[in-house]
Amino acid sequence: MAHSVGIKDVARVAGVSVGTVSNVINRPDTVATETRARVLSAIDRLGYVRSESARQLRAGRSRIMGLLVLDMGNPFFVDVARGAERAARDAGLGVMVCNSAQNPGEEAEYLSLFAEQRVRGVLLTPADATGRNIEGFRRHNIPFVLVDRVAEGTTECSVSVDDVAGGALAVRHLVDAGHRSVAYVSGPPGLHQVRDRRTGALQALAEAGLGLEALRELPTERLDVAAGRDAGARLLGLADRPTAVFCANDLLALGVLQALYAAGVRVPEDLAIVGYDDIEFAAAAAVPLTSVRQPAVTMGALAAELLLEETDLQGSDRTHAHRRVVLQPELVVRRSSLVAR
């Protein structure tokens, strides 16, 4: 087995003490120019790489921020990660991105991993609707910020979008176009986002004098294209089919669009579609998709900044004031919903 080059090897080759090598690495201005050059030459010749994990353990401060999202296959969460990574990089930190796949068990395992790695803090979009995973993670005293979720029943910071307002935007647009019966392809009912978007949809229908029966809900187990295709097939099989469909995210909407296209159903002439998130693929779909835009990159960046603010105050005599940031969604109208009834 190859010998791992350590700081003692560098000191021996350079003919200096271990303390001098440490100063060259961590405080180079305190070392004479000639000595510093000799140590750097030895580092280069031996291929020495310092153990960042050991340094972090000694300092008690990790340079890694954890990010745990519901589905990295969803471009929305990729954008959240981009925003978080940008803010972390500006602060000299890295981001460990993990995917719970909407599974509370996998979420618990990743939270345990973050605790074992002693990350600086965690950005979390919860998969566990019961809150047990969050309660278990609190005992590690690692700061965390909830992303794409309001901090209900918790004191931690959160950054989210007003999904009730977003659901209302989507369905109000359809009602204004003349639709009086709307299907809601909703996703897993345990997710707060799914429930809030439904609440907004019902509010928009009530504003138009329409009752609960005007919304036909088609739940799915996942928020992906395959689940959307399945929901589209069920929608086609309804005897009294609605004239419009609102989907809890764009991946579901793209799946519904595929199912309708395969069956020869015209969008929007026969059935209008509105999605949610406004991912890049929404505008590039065969029929460009009307969608409720979430500022995903901004969401990730703001969450990271809140986390950095909290962790920077740890150990000081100043206290961090937890904040709940709620961003506003925006309706982006494209061809999938433009034909009035």
Side-chain angles (χ1 to χ4, degrees):
M1 181 180 294
H3 169 65
S4 176
V5 176
I7 195 170
K8 292 181 179 179
D9 298 306
V10 174
R12 176 177 51 79
V13 170
V16 298
S17 69
V18 169
T20 298
V21 176
S22 177
N23 284 337
V24 169
I25 295 170
N26 298 297
R27 295 176 296 277
D29 293 342
T30 66
V31 182
T33 302
E34 183 182 340
T35 303
R36 187 166 68 241
R38 197 162 69 247
V39 170
L40 291 174
S41 176
I43 287 174
D44 183 59
R45 196 175 347 146
L46 295 172
Y48 167 75
V49 179
R50 70 175 176 176
S51 172
E52 182 64 18
S53 60
R55 188 190 71 80
Q56 290 174 10
L57 287 174
R58 288 193 298 271
R61 298 278 284 177
S62 171
R63 292 180 59 246
I64 299 297
M65 176 189 300
L67 171 62
L68 182 55
V69 300
L70 291 178
D71 181 11
M72 280 305 292
N74 186 338
F76 166 75
F77 287 111
V78 175
D79 286 343
V80 169
R82 283 175 48 218
E85 191 273 338
R86 185 180 304 165
R89 186 176 63 242
D90 289 345
L93 303 183
V95 179
M96 180 191 298
V97 182
C98 298
N99 175 28
S100 72
Q102 304 173 39
N103 185 313
E106 293 190 28
E107 175 181 82
E109 291 176 5
Y110 279 123
L111 289 175
S112 294
L113 175 64
F114 289 152
E116 290 171 8
Q117 296 296 317
R118 302 186 188 184
V119 297
R120 176 76 64 95
V122 174
L123 306 178
L124 170 65
T125 303
D128 177 21
T130 70
R132 283 192 292 265
N133 286 342
I134 289 177
E135 283 302 317
F137 187 67
R138 275 202 185 92
R139 70 176 184 270
H140 299 293
N141 294 317
I142 296 175
F144 64 90
V145 173
L146 298 179
V147 184
D148 194 31
R149 163 86 176 274
V150 175
E152 296 173 350
T154 69
T155 59
E156 283 77 19
C157 289
S158 66
V159 181
S160 63
V161 167
D162 188 341
D163 283 316
V164 174
L169 277 175
V171 174
R172 191 177 296 121
H173 166 68
L174 292 171
V175 169
D176 288 345
H179 298 281
R180 293 297 177 265
S181 178
V182 178
Y184 177 43
V185 178
S186 60
L191 294 179
H192 285 259
Q193 299 92 325
V194 166
R195 296 203 300 271
D196 285 350
R197 291 165 199 178
R198 178 181 182 273
T199 297
L202 290 173
Q203 285 183 3
L205 291 172
E207 291 170 5
L210 301 170
L212 292 174
E213 69 282 355
L215 192 71
R216 301 280 297 276
E217 187 165 358
L218 297 171
T220 64
E221 293 184 359
R222 301 185 63 80
L223 291 163
D224 55 25
V225 174
R229 284 195 298 267
D230 174 72
R234 283 184 280 148
L235 178 63
L236 290 168
L238 294 178
D240 184 19
R241 192 168 72 203
T243 60
V245 56
F246 166 45
C247 298
N249 78 356
D250 285 340
L251 295 182
L252 288 172
L254 291 172
V256 170
L257 182 60
Q258 288 181 5
L260 298 181
Y261 182 82
V265 176
R266 298 173 303 164
V267 175
E269 291 84 0
D270 299 326
L271 199 149
I273 302 179
V274 175
Y276 205 103
D277 290 340
D278 195 34
I279 62 175
E280 183 178 357
F281 301 130
V287 179
L289 186 66
T290 294
S291 185
V292 177
R293 176 179 293 166
Q294 298 199 80
V297 174
T298 299
M299 193 184 305
L302 284 175
E305 289 166 6
L306 286 174
L307 186 62
L308 290 165
E309 179 183 298
E310 180 173 359
T311 59
D312 286 346
L313 292 177
Q314 281 187 313
S316 73
D317 56 0
R318 296 166 58 200
T319 58
H320 170 74
H322 289 300
R323 283 179 288 168
R324 177 182 293 184
V325 179
V326 181
L327 304 173
Q328 291 303 307
E330 173 190 358
L331 182 70
V332 180
V333 178
R334 300 190 180 95
R335 194 158 65 87
S336 71
S337 64
L338 281 179
V339 175
R341 306 294 298 179

